[in-house]
Amino acid sequence: MKEVLIRPFYRGVRGEIRAPRDKSLSHRGAMVGALSQGVTVIDGFSFCADCLSTLSGLESWGVEIIREEEKERITVKSEGLGKLREPEDVINAGNSGTTMRLLAGIATGIEGLTIFTGDESLRQRPMKRVIEPLRLTGAEVGGRKRDSFPPFFVRGRDRVKAFSYHLPVPSAQVKSALIFAALRGEGTSFIKEPLPSRDHTENLLRYLGVNIEKKGGVIEIEPPSSISASYLSLPGDLSSASFLIALATLLPQSHLLIRDVGINPTRAGFLACLREMGGNFEIIGEREEFGEWRGDIEVRFSHLRGIEIGRNLIPLVIDEIPIISVLAAQAEGTTVISGAEELRVKETDRLKAIAQGLRGLGVEIEERDDGLLIQGPAVFQGGKVNSYGDHRIAMSLVIAGIVGKKDLVVEDIDCIKISYPDFFSDLEKIGYGEWEIKER
Ligand code: S3P
């Protein structure tokens, strides 16, 4: 297992960097490629571990995928909807909830048995939220511990029943699983969301010509007879870029330009929070390409103040709460995060992990059932903290270490490759190289 020693840095981070590619969109790009007939070329694909799990899953269904990592490109060859075939073995989604849940939706429309498993963390994450609604399609679906956890199976059929479903939790993964299932429906399906969550699946399918509309919080999906393969170029990942944005915000004299970041409003709650905290950044060159908004983000150091983040905003900052907590601990005043109990069922219990990590650095932080109360500004102390095998906790703690006052060891950092394999080399590119990785 690897750990990293982080030495405090007193100069700013500077320069220009291309954002790491978007994980959420890479999963979806590969999946729609597999459901399209012909050859789909995808540029700007993220070769992070989670997206590689998606590629192997799709290959188990007979899809051909060529990987060109140096070009950040994949080529997906498929006969498309209705032509995927029963896998010969179980699909192992590794650490990736998105792989498992979205592929489960696709599996309902594949004749035969698909079985999903994952690593130790994923096998403890809730799956009833997809297993139960996917049964509305007429597919047989069942899992361990009364349908609660992986491994689980889907016995799909070539065409499925059309359905209506009201999501109890605002989850883009569950919504996307159902959208993919609806593509093989015998009629129009309807999905209602309690609050908006990231809409990448909808945007991508609409871009490829699928009739998918949102009317008053209800998504209507008309199953296409086929989807034609197309070229896609994906933007950078705001969730990964948020670590660099946070670092530039917290280190005096910083001035950073992060190029080509996805700024889809259903993903960009981090920027809204940072703005409210007093962050000094600008979005330049906003443009819509391939169904998604992107732009360059120019960030400078600024003094921050505490804010309140309530339930309605949580789906839009679902993955950024750990790094927002680091910002909050450096901000003047109190930050209250509520309605965030979903964080307890991520790669680890993120409310607990961030509270423990920041407390270890000397922050006054209260863990609540549904959130956190963080008192700032703190002077981060050194010592040893643990990521609990969660990539976003690991990177948040590394950022805290860089802006801290003493050497910090972050344990269990192999997980960073889950979403951002180039994290440390990107830190070097913007001027911070005072880390030392050790094998323990
Ligand atoms: C994701 C949706 C979110 C997020 C996850 C990626 C996606 O999960 O936390 O990292 O790509 O759809 P939920 O939809 O379960 O909240």
Side-chain angles (χ1 to χ4, degrees):
M1 205 176 275
K2 286 188 191 129
E3 61 179 37
V4 65
L5 167 69
I6 299 292
R7 297 204 178 83
F9 193 57
Y10 301 103
R11 296 190 304 278
V13 283
R14 302 182 77 82
E16 208 180 296
I17 189 160
R18 183 163 179 266
R21 300 294 89 193
D22 192 284
K23 173 161 96 72
S24 250
L25 276 162
S26 295
H27 284 296
R28 287 160 171 82
M31 290 176 196
V32 299
L35 297 174
S36 303
Q37 194 177 4
V39 179
T40 301
V41 175
I42 305 175
D43 276 333
F45 186 84
S46 167
F47 280 78
C48 67
D50 271 7
C51 293
L52 297 180
S53 296
T54 285
L55 299 188
S56 321
L58 295 171
E59 284 168 330
S60 318
W61 283 328
V63 177
E64 200 186 321
I65 301 175
I66 301 164
R67 300 159 171 77
E68 291 172 277
E69 190 168 352
E70 6 24 272
K71 292 188 189 159
E72 296 182 326
R73 172 180 296 170
I74 61 164
T75 303
V76 183
K77 295 182 189 171
S78 178
E79 290 178 52
L81 279 175
K83 301 286 189 211
L84 305 186
R85 55 160 203 264
E86 182 179 65
E88 284 171 15
D89 202 351
V90 299
I91 290 183
N92 190 334
N95 191 248
S96 175
T98 308
T99 304
M100 182 174 274
R101 294 187 177 125
L102 273 59
L103 292 187
I106 296 175
T108 59
I110 301 173
E111 214 48 90
L113 182 72
T114 302
I115 303 170
F116 295 95
T117 191
D119 71 5
E120 203 185 327
S121 149
L122 188 53
R123 291 197 308 273
Q124 291 169 40
R125 294 185 62 190
M127 291 299 147
K128 202 172 245 169
R129 53 178 64 194
V130 280
I131 290 177
E132 280 187 340
L134 287 178
R135 285 187 179 138
L136 297 172
T137 62
E140 280 175 58
V141 195
R144 190 170 67 85
K145 291 220 172 156
R146 297 177 185 222
D147 304 327
S148 301
F149 300 107
F152 68 91
F153 72 91
V154 178
R155 193 180 285 283
R157 0 197 279 178
D158 182 38
R159 296 309 298 236
V160 307
K161 290 189 214 157
F163 59 87
S164 294
Y165 187 67
H166 189 153
L167 291 167
V169 192
S171 160
Q173 291 183 353
V174 179
K175 172 178 66 174
S176 301
L178 289 164
I179 292 174
F180 281 131
L183 294 178
R184 296 301 290 153
E186 281 155 350
T188 306
S189 291
F190 303 88
I191 303 164
K192 187 166 168 54
E193 295 191 272
L195 285 170
S197 63
R198 65 186 70 186
D199 58 4
H200 297 314
T201 309
E202 296 91 307
N203 293 343
L204 212 44
L205 287 171
R206 195 176 301 114
Y207 176 76
L208 294 173
V210 176
N211 202 344
I212 174 165
E213 272 185 67
K214 191 166 176 180
K215 293 181 193 155
V218 179
I219 302 158
E220 290 187 24
I221 308 109
E222 210 179 281
S225 50
S226 67
I227 304 174
S228 300
S230 179
Y231 169 76
L232 295 172
S233 169
L234 307 177
D237 196 313
L238 179 58
S239 304
S240 299
S242 68
F243 299 106
L244 309 181
I245 296 172
L247 186 60
T249 301
L250 294 176
L251 280 177
Q253 299 165 46
S254 292
H255 182 191
L256 201 59
L257 181 64
I258 308 174
R259 290 225 180 266
D260 197 21
V261 192
I263 48 168
N264 175 326
T266 62
R267 247 329 252 298
F270 171 77
L271 296 178
C273 290
L274 184 59
R275 182 74 78 210
E276 206 188 325
M277 294 175 95
N280 183 358
F281 68 90
E282 245 183 283
I283 302 173
I284 306 162
E286 275 181 65
R287 58 206 181 269
E288 194 185 359
E289 281 173 18
F290 304 95
E292 287 286 341
W293 283 93
R294 51 175 106 191
D296 303 334
I297 302 183
E298 189 175 11
V299 203
R300 289 184 169 85
F301 164 76
S302 52
H303 291 284
L304 301 180
R305 52 182 175 269
I307 57 166
E308 282 190 20
I309 303 176
R311 183 173 298 279
N312 288 357
L313 199 64
I314 297 299
L316 317 183
V317 286
I318 189 79
D319 291 335
E320 288 71 65
I321 295 292
I323 189 64
I324 289 176
S325 303
V326 172
L327 290 169
Q330 291 287 307
E332 189 73 43
T334 312
T335 293
V336 183
I337 300 169
S338 57
E341 56 277 352
E342 266 298 292
L343 268 83
R344 295 204 182 276
V345 292
K346 294 294 176 188
E347 285 81 330
T348 188
D349 176 342
R350 285 187 174 157
L351 294 180
K352 188 168 155 207
I354 201 68
Q356 287 193 358
L358 288 181
R359 203 171 291 128
L361 293 171
V363 178
E364 217 181 292
I365 180 166
E366 185 190 320
E367 182 188 339
R368 297 175 162 181
D369 288 347
D370 70 335
L372 297 167
L373 186 143
I374 304 160
Q375 195 59 55
V379 175
F380 292 150
Q381 301 305 310
K384 224 173 219 196
V385 285
N386 197 293
S387 75
Y388 296 92
D390 183 309
H391 51 128
R392 300 202 197 276
I393 301 293
M395 289 185 276
S396 300
L397 293 172
V398 167
I399 298 301
I402 301 174
V403 303
K405 291 287 169 271
K406 294 189 181 144
D407 286 1
L408 179 72
V409 173
V410 183
E411 294 179 312
D412 198 356
I413 55 147
D414 307 68
C415 53
I416 289 175
K417 66 175 184 297
I418 292 294
S419 60
Y420 195 170
D422 296 330
F423 179 58
F424 286 106
S425 54
D426 278 0
L427 287 178
E428 248 174 34
K429 280 187 195 154
I430 59 173
Y432 176 76
E434 290 167 36
W435 44 269
E436 220 175 285
I437 294 179
K438 292 185 198 149
E439 193 76 47
R440 283 200 62 223

